[in-house]
Protein backbone atom coordinates (compact mmCIF):
# COMPACT_ATOMS: atom_id res chain seq x y z
CA UNK A 1 0.00 0.00 0.00
CA UNK A 2 2.83 2.39 0.84
CA UNK A 3 4.51 1.63 -2.49
CA UNK A 4 1.25 2.48 -4.30
CA UNK A 5 0.94 5.81 -2.45
CA UNK A 6 4.54 6.67 -3.34
CA UNK A 7 3.89 5.98 -7.03
CA UNK A 8 0.80 8.21 -6.94
CA UNK A 9 2.82 10.97 -5.23
CA UNK A 10 5.60 10.56 -7.82
CA UNK A 11 3.04 10.77 -10.64
CA UNK A 12 1.49 13.94 -9.19
CA UNK A 13 4.88 15.61 -8.71
CA UNK A 14 5.91 14.75 -12.26
CA UNK A 15 2.56 15.91 -13.68
CA UNK A 16 2.81 19.21 -11.79
CA UNK A 17 6.08 19.95 -13.61
CA UNK A 18 4.67 19.16 -17.06
CA UNK A 19 2.60 21.49 -19.24
CA UNK A 20 -1.17 21.43 -18.97
CA UNK A 21 -3.01 19.28 -21.48
CA UNK A 22 -6.14 19.86 -23.48
CA UNK A 23 -9.15 19.35 -21.22
CA UNK A 24 -10.11 16.00 -22.71
CA UNK A 25 -6.76 14.27 -23.34
CA UNK A 26 -3.47 13.46 -21.66
CA UNK A 27 -0.56 11.05 -21.87
CA UNK A 28 2.52 9.96 -20.01
CA UNK A 29 5.45 7.69 -20.76
CA UNK A 30 6.99 5.13 -18.42
CA UNK A 31 9.19 2.03 -18.47
CA UNK A 32 8.14 -1.36 -17.15
CA UNK A 33 9.79 -1.87 -13.76
CA UNK A 34 10.85 -5.27 -12.51
CA UNK A 35 8.28 -4.88 -9.72
CA UNK A 36 5.57 -4.57 -12.42
CA UNK A 37 6.37 -8.03 -13.79
CA UNK A 38 5.08 -11.48 -12.90
CA UNK A 39 6.89 -14.83 -13.02
CA UNK A 40 6.34 -15.03 -16.79
CA UNK A 41 8.60 -12.04 -17.36
CA UNK A 42 6.03 -9.52 -18.56
CA UNK A 43 3.93 -6.81 -16.93
CA UNK A 44 1.30 -8.40 -14.72
CA UNK A 45 -2.31 -7.92 -15.88
CA UNK A 46 -3.31 -6.36 -12.55
CA UNK A 47 -0.51 -3.81 -12.84
CA UNK A 48 -2.20 -2.34 -15.92
CA UNK A 49 -5.15 -1.35 -13.73
CA UNK A 50 -2.79 0.35 -11.29
CA UNK A 51 -1.14 2.18 -14.18
CA UNK A 52 -4.57 3.36 -15.39
CA UNK A 53 -5.04 4.85 -11.91
CA UNK A 54 -1.73 6.69 -12.26
CA UNK A 55 -2.81 7.84 -15.72
CA UNK A 56 -6.05 9.21 -14.25
CA UNK A 57 -4.13 11.14 -11.56
CA UNK A 58 -1.89 12.59 -14.27
CA UNK A 59 -4.91 13.40 -16.43
CA UNK A 60 -6.85 14.98 -13.54
CA UNK A 61 -3.95 17.20 -12.52
CA UNK A 62 -2.82 18.27 -15.97
CA UNK A 63 -6.35 18.87 -17.30
CA UNK A 64 -7.27 21.07 -14.33
CA UNK A 65 -10.04 18.77 -13.12
CA UNK A 66 -8.16 17.93 -9.90
CA UNK A 67 -7.90 21.62 -8.98
CA UNK A 68 -11.59 22.05 -9.73
CA UNK A 69 -12.41 19.02 -7.55
CA UNK A 70 -10.33 20.31 -4.64
CA UNK A 71 -11.77 23.81 -4.92
CA UNK A 72 -15.37 22.56 -4.80
CA UNK A 73 -14.70 19.65 -2.38
CA UNK A 74 -15.45 17.04 -5.01
CA UNK A 75 -13.85 13.68 -5.58
CA UNK A 76 -13.44 11.37 -8.53
CA UNK A 77 -14.80 7.83 -8.21
CA UNK A 78 -14.25 4.90 -10.58
CA UNK A 79 -17.43 2.83 -10.86
CA UNK A 80 -16.10 0.20 -13.25
CA UNK A 81 -13.54 -0.61 -15.86
CA UNK A 82 -12.88 -3.11 -18.59
CA UNK A 83 -9.52 -3.82 -20.16
CA UNK A 84 -8.41 -5.70 -23.26
CA UNK A 85 -4.83 -6.92 -23.59
CA UNK A 86 -3.28 -7.13 -27.06
CA UNK A 87 0.49 -7.47 -26.56
CA UNK A 88 2.83 -8.01 -23.64
CA UNK A 89 5.19 -5.48 -22.12
CA UNK A 90 8.64 -6.78 -21.12
CA UNK A 91 10.88 -5.46 -18.31
CA UNK A 92 12.35 -2.01 -19.05
CA UNK A 93 10.23 -1.64 -22.19
CA UNK A 94 9.01 1.91 -22.69
CA UNK A 95 5.29 2.55 -23.11
CA UNK A 96 2.95 5.51 -23.27
CA UNK A 97 -0.52 5.67 -21.78
CA UNK A 98 -2.89 7.97 -23.65
CA UNK A 99 -5.95 9.05 -21.63
CA UNK A 100 -9.01 10.52 -23.28
CA UNK A 101 -12.34 11.59 -21.88
CA UNK A 102 -14.37 10.04 -24.70
CA UNK A 103 -17.92 10.68 -23.53
CA UNK A 104 -20.14 11.80 -20.68
CA UNK A 105 -23.83 11.87 -19.94
CA UNK A 106 -26.04 12.90 -17.02
CA UNK A 107 -24.46 10.35 -14.67
CA UNK A 108 -21.10 9.15 -15.89
CA UNK A 109 -17.82 10.13 -17.50
CA UNK A 110 -16.12 7.56 -19.75
CA UNK A 111 -12.37 7.56 -20.09
CA UNK A 112 -10.23 5.50 -22.40
CA UNK A 113 -6.65 4.58 -21.54
CA UNK A 114 -4.58 3.11 -24.37
CA UNK A 115 -1.17 1.60 -23.74
CA UNK A 116 1.20 1.88 -26.69
CA UNK A 117 4.78 0.84 -27.22
CA UNK A 118 6.54 1.85 -30.43
CA UNK A 119 3.16 2.92 -31.85
CA UNK A 120 1.78 -0.59 -31.28
CA UNK A 121 -1.42 -0.95 -29.26
CA UNK A 122 -0.63 -3.03 -26.17
CA UNK A 123 -3.81 -2.66 -24.10
CA UNK A 124 -7.00 -0.62 -24.00
CA UNK A 125 -9.02 0.17 -20.89
CA UNK A 126 -12.43 1.81 -20.66
CA UNK A 127 -13.38 3.40 -17.36
CA UNK A 128 -16.76 4.60 -16.09
CA UNK A 129 -16.37 7.26 -13.41
CA UNK A 130 -18.29 9.94 -11.56
CA UNK A 131 -17.51 13.17 -9.75
CA UNK A 132 -19.06 13.29 -6.27
CA UNK A 133 -19.80 16.37 -4.16
CA UNK A 134 -21.51 16.23 -0.74
CA UNK A 135 -22.46 12.61 -1.32
CA UNK A 136 -24.17 13.31 -4.65
CA UNK A 137 -23.05 12.82 -8.19
CA UNK A 138 -22.20 15.95 -10.17
CA UNK A 139 -23.62 15.73 -13.68
CA UNK A 140 -20.69 15.69 -16.14
CA UNK A 141 -22.73 17.84 -18.53
CA UNK A 142 -22.50 20.57 -15.88
CA UNK A 143 -18.71 20.27 -15.99
CA UNK A 144 -18.14 19.81 -19.72
CA UNK A 145 -21.31 20.85 -21.52
CA UNK A 146 -22.81 18.88 -24.37
CA UNK A 147 -20.94 15.61 -25.00
CA UNK A 148 -19.39 14.81 -28.36
CA UNK A 149 -21.23 12.53 -30.76
CA UNK A 150 -20.04 8.96 -30.28
CA UNK A 151 -18.81 6.78 -33.09
CA UNK A 152 -20.47 3.38 -33.54
CA UNK A 153 -17.36 1.73 -32.09
CA UNK A 154 -17.54 3.69 -28.84
CA UNK A 155 -21.31 3.27 -28.59
CA UNK A 156 -20.81 -0.49 -28.72
CA UNK A 157 -17.87 -0.47 -26.29
CA UNK A 158 -19.59 1.73 -23.72
CA UNK A 159 -22.75 -0.37 -24.02
CA UNK A 160 -20.67 -3.47 -23.35
CA UNK A 161 -19.07 -1.80 -20.31
CA UNK A 162 -22.51 -0.93 -18.95
CA UNK A 163 -23.91 -4.43 -19.65
CA UNK A 164 -21.06 -6.30 -17.97
CA UNK A 165 -21.19 -4.12 -14.88
CA UNK A 166 -24.98 -4.40 -14.63
CA UNK A 167 -24.74 -8.20 -14.93
CA UNK A 168 -22.26 -8.34 -12.04
CA UNK A 169 -24.47 -6.19 -9.81
CA UNK A 170 -27.62 -8.26 -10.44
Amino acid sequence: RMFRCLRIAQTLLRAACLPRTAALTGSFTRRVRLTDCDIFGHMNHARYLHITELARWDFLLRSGLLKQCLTHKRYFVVAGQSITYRRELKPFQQYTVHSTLVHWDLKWMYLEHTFRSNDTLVARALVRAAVIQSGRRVAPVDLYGTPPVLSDEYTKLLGHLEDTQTAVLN
Side-chain angles (χ1 to χ4, degrees), residues 77-98:
V77 177
V78 171
Q81 54 190 341
S82 176
I83 188 165
T84 303
Y85 306 96
R86 303 258 184 226
R87 303 271 185 272
E88 66 181 357
L89 287 172
K90 295 284 192 180
F92 311 111
Q93 186 174 349
Q94 185 171 303
Y95 64 92
T96 301
V97 181
H98 299 275

Side-chain angles (χ1 to χ4, degrees), residues 37-133:
C37 296
D38 57 23
I39 61 171
F40 300 108
H42 58 241
M43 189 153 80
N44 181 278
H45 67 280
R47 186 61 74 186
Y48 284 85
L49 298 176
H50 175 66
I51 301 297
T52 63
E53 180 183 14
L54 298 177
R56 278 189 300 281
W57 280 110
D58 180 88
F59 171 79
L60 290 171
L61 182 77
R62 293 179 63 204
S63 69
L65 187 58
L66 182 61
K67 181 178 180 180
Q68 187 182 72
C69 285
L70 294 172
T71 301
H72 298 287
K73 297 182 181 172
R74 298 174 178 159
Y75 56 97
F76 193 81
V77 177
V78 171
Q81 54 190 341
S82 176
I83 188 165
T84 303
Y85 306 96
R86 303 258 184 226
R87 303 271 185 272
E88 66 181 357
L89 287 172
K90 295 284 192 180
F92 311 111
Q93 186 174 349
Q94 185 171 303
Y95 64 92
T96 301
V97 181
H98 299 275
S99 303
T100 306
L101 180 58
V102 293
H103 191 65
W104 56 91
D105 55 30
L106 294 174
K107 292 183 177 182
W108 305 107
M109 300 166 52
Y110 299 93
L111 290 102
E112 178 184 57
H113 300 291
T114 56
F115 290 73
R116 293 188 177 279
S117 182
N118 297 324
D119 292 326
T120 300
L121 181 64
V122 174
R124 181 184 197 185
L126 286 172
V127 177
R128 185 175 69 170
V131 175
I132 306 295
Q133 181 178 16

Side-chain angles (χ1 to χ4, degrees), residues 139-151:
V141 294
D142 294 340
L143 299 172
Y144 292 108
T146 305
V149 176
L150 278 178
S151 68

